[in-house]
Amino acid sequence: RSVMDQAELDKMAPRQKVPPNLRSCHTAVVGKYVIEGHVPADVVRQLLKEAPAGVIGLSAPNMPVGSPGMEGPNAQPYPIMAFKADGSSYEYARR
């Protein structure tokens, strides 16, 4: 286990090619995919099963209320975005 300082953590999303508009609070690598923010586990499992062509990761940008870990009143529907290495993205799922 290694300890990273904040400066190193801040470099994680850019290093993993997360588009700037999809960056959030947490960056993880699951298999060959980057998971950014509070993406629900069932959507990560769906990504691993479907393995869509060209997709390198998923993001739930902006820490949406109602996402895992962000439960609370007034939850709003939010998109889970798939993104590619070229910076393009599309809505992969909605919760």
Side-chain angles (χ1 to χ4, degrees):
R1 180 200 254 218
S2 65
V3 176
M4 295 180 128
D5 64 17
Q6 189 62 48
E8 276 302 304
L9 289 173
D10 291 342
K11 295 176 188 174
M12 181 68 77
R15 188 179 307 131
Q16 296 297 328
K17 299 183 178 153
V18 178
N21 63 317
L22 298 181
R23 292 183 188 155
S24 191
C25 52
H26 309 291
T27 306
V29 176
V30 178
K32 65 178 186 175
Y33 298 104
V34 179
I35 307 301
E36 183 74 5
H38 296 245
V39 177
D42 67 306
V43 180
V44 175
R45 286 190 295 272
Q46 178 183 342
L47 174 71
L48 294 171
K49 181 180 178 183
E50 294 177 353
V55 170
I56 64 167
L58 295 177
S59 172
N62 304 319
M63 297 176 61
V65 175
S67 63
M70 296 296 296
E71 296 84 1
N74 306 317
Q76 299 290 316
Y78 63 94
I80 293 96
M81 304 298 292
F83 58 90
K84 298 181 177 190
D86 67 3
S88 65
S89 62
Y90 63 92
E91 187 171 306
Y92 183 74
R94 181 165 282 272
R95 292 290 185 270

